Amino acid sequence: MRTTETHSVIVQDMDIYPEADAVPPPLTSADLAKSLHLSEERLVSLLSSAEKSYNRFPLKCGRRRPRWIEAPNPFLKHVQRCLLDKILYTVVPHPSAHGFQPGRSIVSNARMHSCREWVLSMDMKDFFPTTDIHMVEKMLQEHFNFTQETIEAILRLTCRRNALPQGAPTSPHLANLVFMEGDRRLTAMAIEHGMTYTRYADDMTFSGDTLPEDIEEQVELIAQEAGYRISRHKTRRMGQHQCQKVTGLVVNEGVRLPRGKRRRLRAILNDVRKNGMDAALARSGFRSADELSGHLALARMVGTVQ
C-alpha cells in the first residue's frame, strides 16, 4: 500500500512540474523568423538574396597586403545583428577567447600575460575565410537545438561563398564557437606546461616563466587538427629583456600603449585643447573623429593617456 501511495505522489509531482526534465523543442524556421521580427515570406526572400547582399572592398593594413572586407548591406546586417543578440549569443565560447565578446577586449586579453618572463604570439592564417560552411554547420548541430531547416537558413544568413565573410557581425562569434575545441586543447596544453593561453580572434598568446622548446609545433598541430593554419612568419617569442606586445599593447610591466602611440595621442589631445577638434583632427593623421575617439577610448581603458 505504501508503495502505491509513493507512486501516486511521484505521478502527481510530474503533473505539477511537467517541464522539469523536458527538452525544449528544436527551433524551427518559423521560430527563427519570429525571433528576427520577420514574416516567414520575408525570411525566405532574404535567404534567396543574402549571397548577393555584400559589398566587397580592400582595407589597407599598413605595409601588409590589403585585407578584403565583405560588408553586408544595411538590412542583412541588421538581421545578422538580431540573430547574434537573440540566438547565437546564448552559447558562449571558451573562456580563453577574448575577441568580440561582451565585457572583453584587447585589454582584458593583454592583462592575462603581463609581467611574465616569456610571451609567445602566434597567428592563424585567414581565420574567417578558413572557417568554412561545413565547420559552421557541424558547430550549430553540436551546440544548438535547431532543426536542419533552421541550420540551413542560418548558414545562408551568415556565410558567403561557403565561408564566414570578414565584415559580417556574426562571423567573429561563429568562428569563436567553431574553434571552441581548439581553445580547450590549447588551454589544457598550456596548463600542463605552467603557461597561460588566450586568443583574440586569430591572435593566440601564451606566456609563462618558461616556454617548451617545441611549443610552436604543438600549437601548429592542434590548429591543423581543428582545420586552421599558422602564419609562421608572424610567430614571436618575447623575453622580459624585449618589448613584449600582446594584441598591440606592451605587457612587460602591467599593460600600456606603446611609447610612440602614447606620445602621439598626448600631442593630439594638447592640440585639441589649444586649437579645437577640427584643426587637431586635420593634423592628426586620423581619417575621422570617430577613429580618433576609438584610439582615445582605448588609451583611457589602459589608463596611460590623460
Side-chain angles (χ1 to χ4, degrees), residues 138-212:
K138 181 181 178 183
M139 179 276 297
L140 292 174
Q141 292 169 339
E142 290 177 350
H143 295 290
F144 292 89
N145 186 21
F146 296 153
T147 64
Q148 186 59 32
E149 183 183 21
T150 301
I151 289 175
E152 290 172 4
I154 290 174
L155 293 174
R156 293 172 72 176
L157 286 174
T158 59
C159 295
R160 183 170 190 255
R161 296 179 179 177
N162 294 320
L164 292 181
Q166 187 156 313
T170 44
S171 292
H173 186 65
L174 288 172
N176 278 341
L177 297 183
V178 167
F179 197 68
M180 194 182 300
E181 176 61 13
D183 283 331
R184 186 197 65 77
R185 291 183 63 192
L186 290 169
T187 298
M189 184 268 291
I191 292 173
E192 181 182 349
H193 294 290
M195 299 183 298
T196 297
Y197 161 72
T198 64
R199 180 178 57 81
Y200 189 94
D202 56 0
D203 193 346
M204 300 180 291
T205 306
F206 302 82
S207 63
D209 293 334
T210 60
L211 296 176

Side-chain angles (χ1 to χ4, degrees), residues 26-44 47 87 145-154 157:
L27 191 80
T28 66
S29 57
D31 298 327
L32 176 64
K34 185 176 181 180
S35 297
L36 299 177
H37 304 293
L38 300 172
S39 67
E40 291 185 60
E41 294 76 13
R42 186 70 183 92
L43 176 59
V44 170
L47 295 178
I87 298 175
N145 186 21
F146 296 153
T147 64
Q148 186 59 32
E149 183 183 21
T150 301
I151 289 175
E152 290 172 4
I154 290 174
L157 286 174

Side-chain angles (χ1 to χ4, degrees), residues 110-111 113-115 250-256:
R111 280 183 180 139
H113 304 283
S114 65
C115 305
V250 179
V251 297
N252 293 68
E253 297 178 2
V255 177
R256 299 170 64 85

Side-chain angles (χ1 to χ4, degrees), residues 7 57 78 113 128 138 159 175 233 237 253 297:
H7 177 73
F57 59 90
H78 168 75
H113 304 283
F128 293 154
K138 181 181 178 183
C159 295
H233 67 282
R237 280 190 180 226
E253 297 178 2

Side-chain angles (χ1 to χ4, degrees), residues 75-132:
F75 181 66
L76 178 58
K77 183 177 181 179
H78 168 75
V79 172
Q80 290 172 338
R81 185 78 238 181
C82 190
L83 172 65
L84 182 66
D85 291 338
K86 289 180 175 273
I87 298 175
L88 299 180
Y89 271 155
T90 60
V91 175
V92 297
H94 192 274
S96 62
H98 285 251
F100 308 98
Q101 294 303 307
R104 295 190 163 203
S105 65
I106 63 171
V107 179
S108 68
N109 183 66
R111 280 183 180 139
M112 298 294 292
H113 304 283
S114 65
C115 305
R116 303 295 177 90
E117 286 296 320
W118 287 95
V119 173
L120 171 68
S121 176
M122 299 182 71
D123 202 85
M124 283 187 282
K125 187 175 183 179
D126 299 325
F127 188 47
F128 293 154
T130 300
T131 309
D132 66 39

